[in-house]
Amino acid sequence: MSTRFELANAIRALSMDAVQKANSGHPGAPMGMADIAEVLWNDHMKHNPANPDWADRDRFILSNGHGSMLIYSLLHLTGYDLSMDDLKNFRQMGSKTPGHPEYGYAPGVETTTGPLGQGITNGVGMAIAERALAAEFNKDGHDIVGHNTYVFLGDGCLMEGISHEACSLAGTLGLGNLIAFWDDNGISIDGHVEGWFADDTPARFEAYGWHVVAGVDGHDPDAINKAIEEAKSVTDKPSMICCKTTIGFGSPNKAGSHACHGAPLGDEENALTKKELGWEHDAFVIPDDIYAGWDGKEKGGAAESDWNEKFAAYEAAHPELAAEFKRRMADERPADWCDNVAAFVNECNDKGESKATRQASLASIEAYSHALPELFGGSADLGCSNLTEWSGYKPMRADTPASNYINYGVREFAMSAIMNGIALHGGFVPFGATFLMFSEYARNAIRMAALMKLRSIFVFTHDSIGLGEDGPTHQAVEQIPTLRMIPNMQVWRPCDTVESAVAWAAAVDRTDGPSCLIFSRQGLPHQARTAEQIANINKGGYILKDCEGTPDVIVIATGSEIGIAVEAADASSKNVRVVSMPCTNVFDAQDAAYRESVLPAGVTARVAVEAAVTDGWWKYAGTDGKVIGIDRFGESAPAGELFEHFGFTAANVGKAIDEVSA
């Protein structure tokens, strides 16, 4: 039987070989954390390589994602569908083993990591999701939800500010199902970290309310195992296991230095390292006894089979809850979801209320939460302003896990990455809110949601200079256009209650990416629509107000500027068509025939209006058109004065209509 050291050396050998073959990568972290990984995966992880999507599996996250050969080696060795050829294609075009772990490429990779600090934050989201699901579904001794989230992280993750945000919240919430392993090797890209990272990490995490296991020898399997057992026994707070390791363990000339952090060891050093470790096998060769020692399929299959028996008993005792759990984990909408959406949208149209779209958003949340129990909300300390606290919201606290809402505090970045973790875990549709301006704090997590094709719903209120007296620090100018530029992002800026209801439903229905919902602080007028127009809102852009015959001018607008566009069209002597464009991303994805029906190429006299920077609108306005926008920062003044000052008035739009049609 292979020893633990030999099993860990398989990770080291594969990591060295793959990085060397690619002539690119980070061998040091996998070599240093191999012993920790071996103990965790072989003795503690509950997972089934034959079914990577098993609902009650433990989640594993490599937050220090540059060490990706660690997780690829683990997946290959334990029996996931990741072949030796896949490892040989490390960092190559089209491979399942890219330079950093990418969600959706290789089975068993639970999240995309690489931007440091976000993996641990995704882990907080997964732990929140598990805790809330357990509180909702576990009944009468039938515990069908009961798993842990394990996270590896390094000094870089701990330096990133997002880790402070997320780990502080995790301690406050008492997430006892979250266990993190700090790879305390004292090395980052620039060398020994004591010159720029001298934190007392154990004390820091104790201050957050974590259980801390300090001073663990990260190369002693018995010490590692004891630490994990201790962490698992503490169920009322998250645990941090501090593992002292040597980066590049085994390398005679590069271990313990940044020389092995982000570059191949080199053929000569690889050979010397294997000799030092007693690894006498050729590159990419794993002996059968090593494979046998790692194989997790039999144990994983048995664990899932035991869970299936538990679930069958649960299903017999609680058939409705069991059906709901299966629906939620399969990410299927309720059978009456579409009918509920249609009824609410029509109700909004019939009522014809004029209100701020942030109020319309709250009404949508209120309506849809009854039809969609998996809706899981939150706000970054702005719930009363974002209007995300619906009548049925239940905030999570350390002693109240039954919840559907998180008070994130002033933590916009962590909120967004935690939402991604909740979405990745499954069972919930997460949304989180802040002012649009503070999307800047969250930008990288928003991008990661788009990259991973997650249904995270980012709610941004106070969308422009229209928020008024708070001034230019809070007035979004460039944020909407730059959010639209993120690949695979859908950005909705509705103009009234009807468009808000449609936008919310579209975000929920979207299963291949995130949405940003942009709402106003100030009141906006209701726009009357036909059934056909309501249906066309889902196409991202549609004719809201038309004229007889061919238009002389087309005015395109979004959000709060729709009202002034319609007013200007009504007052104009020209034949004016008004196009509402609540989501340019969706409109651009329509077929050419539909786009031509809304914006006919023959009508080149066009005016685009949005209280944001102008660059993105020229593709619709064209060289013969005009764009009314704001290419500077705002001012502190009442909203009405600001719109007048910056030209967002019906009179100014009317003037532009006359100029483009002259």
Side-chain angles (χ1 to χ4, degrees):
M1 180 180 292
S2 300
T3 66
R4 285 192 179 279
F5 185 61
E6 290 171 323
L7 295 176
N9 283 343
I11 295 174
R12 296 184 176 102
L14 287 173
S15 299
M16 288 188 290
D17 292 341
V19 171
Q20 191 62 42
K21 185 175 186 297
N23 197 29
S24 173
H26 299 75
M31 296 169 71
M33 299 192 80
D35 298 299
I36 308 168
E38 189 279 321
V39 175
L40 175 64
W41 277 64
N42 281 327
D43 289 3
H44 297 277
M45 276 278 291
K46 181 175 67 172
H47 66 111
N48 184 7
N51 182 12
D53 298 323
W54 171 28
D56 202 41
R57 69 191 182 278
D58 288 338
R59 271 64 170 177
F60 173 79
I61 298 172
L62 184 69
S63 190
N64 45 342
H66 52 270
S68 56
M69 271 309 302
L70 175 63
I71 191 168
Y72 297 149
S73 299
L74 288 165
L75 294 172
H76 171 76
L77 290 166
T78 55
Y80 286 78
D81 184 18
L82 197 68
S83 69
M84 188 64 81
D85 284 340
D86 291 323
L87 301 191
K88 291 178 180 178
N89 283 327
F90 179 56
R91 288 185 163 235
Q92 304 308 301
M93 178 70 75
S95 75
K96 295 162 71 173
T97 51
H100 291 83
E102 300 280 357
Y103 177 69
Y105 283 56
V109 172
E110 300 282 4
T111 183
T112 297
T113 55
L116 295 176
Q118 287 199 62
I120 178 62
T121 310
N122 294 161
V124 173
M126 292 179 188
I128 286 171
E130 189 276 343
R131 192 165 185 256
L133 279 173
E136 181 177 357
F137 287 100
N138 291 350
K139 303 292 181 184
D140 307 323
H142 294 278
D143 294 337
I144 60 164
V145 180
H147 51 268
N148 290 320
T149 297
Y150 297 103
V151 183
F152 282 7
L153 71 164
D155 294 320
C157 290
L158 294 174
M159 284 185 254
E160 286 286 0
I162 190 174
S163 75
H164 296 257
E165 296 181 26
C167 295
S168 166
L169 182 60
T172 300
L173 294 178
L175 300 178
N177 53 354
L178 175 64
I179 298 175
F181 298 78
W182 171 33
D183 181 28
D184 179 14
N185 62 32
I187 296 292
S188 67
I189 291 176
D190 282 349
H192 293 273
V193 300
E194 62 262 22
W196 50 89
F197 183 57
D199 297 12
D200 185 341
T201 295
R204 168 187 160 189
F205 276 81
E206 286 174 354
Y208 288 154
W210 287 52
H211 173 72
V212 177
V213 187
V216 177
D217 182 346
H219 302 295
D220 180 346
D222 292 335
I224 296 164
N225 185 67
K226 182 180 178 182
I228 297 173
E229 292 285 5
E230 179 181 334
K232 289 168 66 177
S233 72
V234 177
T235 58
D236 62 345
K237 57 180 67 176
S239 291
M240 170 63 81
I241 301 175
C242 305
C243 299
K244 192 66 182 176
T245 65
T246 301
I247 190 171
F249 181 90
S251 173
N253 299 301
K254 297 186 178 182
S257 78
H258 68 285
C260 64
H261 173 88
L265 298 183
D267 289 330
E268 183 177 349
E269 189 68 14
N270 267 8
L272 290 172
T273 303
K274 289 180 179 181
K275 182 178 180 181
E276 180 76 13
L277 296 172
W279 187 263
E280 300 176 347
H281 314 289
D282 292 337
F284 296 106
V285 172
I286 302 295
D288 290 343
D289 63 320
I290 298 292
Y291 273 127
W294 272 107
D295 191 357
K297 287 180 286 189
E298 181 178 351
K299 184 167 64 174
E304 184 175 357
S305 179
D306 289 345
W307 182 84
N308 287 337
E309 290 182 11
K310 289 171 60 178
F311 190 83
Y314 176 79
E315 194 166 26
H318 302 283
E320 291 183 2
L321 278 174
E324 176 69 359
F325 180 80
K326 288 194 286 188
R327 179 190 71 78
R328 297 260 292 268
M329 296 310 292
D331 194 23
E332 297 172 351
R333 300 285 74 77
D336 60 352
W337 166 247
C338 291
D339 291 340
N340 278 296
V341 169
F344 179 65
V345 172
N346 289 330
E347 178 186 334
C348 291
N349 194 51
D350 292 341
K351 284 184 176 179
E353 293 179 322
S354 296
K355 59 175 66 173
T357 51
R358 63 172 175 157
Q359 294 174 315
S361 170
L362 176 58
S364 298
I365 295 169
E366 188 73 54
Y368 294 152
S369 64
H370 296 292
L372 196 76
E374 57 263 45
L375 202 61
F376 195 98
S379 175
D381 203 47
L382 289 168
C384 296
S385 293
N386 300 143
L387 302 185
T388 52
E389 298 173 352
W390 72 100
S391 62
Y393 92 112
K394 297 177 291 185
M396 180 178 284
R397 298 290 186 264
D399 58 351
T400 54
S403 56
N404 57 14
Y405 192 91
I406 298 292
N407 293 107
Y408 286 102
V410 187
R411 299 181 176 97
E412 297 87 356
F413 193 3
M415 174 182 72
S416 302
I418 287 170
M419 287 164 54
N420 291 345
I422 294 170
L424 286 159
H425 182 280
F428 293 106
V429 175
F431 74 86
T434 185
F435 288 175
L436 176 58
M437 174 55 65
F438 304 129
S439 65
E440 297 294 341
Y441 284 132
R443 179 64 64 127
N444 198 262
I446 295 169
R447 180 180 186 271
M448 294 293 280
L451 181 65
M452 288 190 274
K453 303 179 181 178
L454 302 180
R455 186 188 32 227
S456 292
I457 302 175
F458 302 101
V459 176
F460 298 125
T461 68
H462 296 62
D463 66 343
S464 69
I465 58 171
L467 69 86
E469 291 88 341
D470 278 340
T473 61
H474 283 52
Q475 292 169 2
V477 173
E478 74 275 23
Q479 282 66 38
I480 296 172
T482 56
L483 287 169
R484 288 179 180 135
M485 292 170 63
I486 299 174
N488 196 41
M489 179 61 71
Q490 291 184 0
V491 178
W492 290 85
R493 188 178 183 233
C495 73
D496 65 1
T497 60
V498 177
E499 285 190 0
S500 297
V502 171
W504 256 108
V508 168
D509 284 335
R510 189 177 187 216
T511 58
D512 61 352
S515 301
C516 294
L517 305 182
I518 314 292
F519 298 115
S520 71
R521 175 183 183 271
Q522 72 275 21
L524 303 179
H526 170 73
Q527 303 297 329
R529 294 175 184 81
T530 65
E532 181 181 4
Q533 287 174 312
I534 291 173
N536 284 338
I537 296 172
N538 277 301
K539 296 180 180 178
Y542 64 102
I543 301 168
L544 176 64
K545 175 182 173 57
D546 215 354
C547 55
E548 293 292 333
T550 303
D552 297 322
V553 181
I554 299 175
V555 180
I556 312 158
T558 76
S560 56
E561 288 70 70
I562 283 290
I564 62 173
V566 170
E567 185 181 345
D570 287 342
S572 178
S573 61
K574 308 292 183 182
N575 283 339
V576 180
R577 169 181 291 180
V578 177
V579 171
S580 179
M581 190 83 77
C583 187
T584 62
N585 312 100
V586 171
F587 179 76
D588 290 347
Q590 302 305 309
D591 61 43
Y594 179 77
R595 287 184 279 117
E596 173 66 18
S597 73
V598 176
L599 298 175
V603 182
T604 59
R606 301 180 183 181
V607 178
V609 191
E610 186 174 60
V613 297
T614 60
D615 284 4
W617 285 105
W618 290 105
K619 67 177 179 179
Y620 303 111
T623 55
D624 296 327
K626 283 186 174 292
V627 178
I628 298 174
I630 177 169
D631 290 316
R632 51 154 291 187
F633 298 119
E635 298 285 349
S636 179
E641 292 182 28
L642 289 168
F643 278 112
E644 182 79 28
H645 177 76
F646 287 108
F648 296 103
T649 64
N652 195 42
V653 175
K655 178 183 176 184
I657 289 171
D658 291 339
E659 290 175 349
V660 297
S661 60

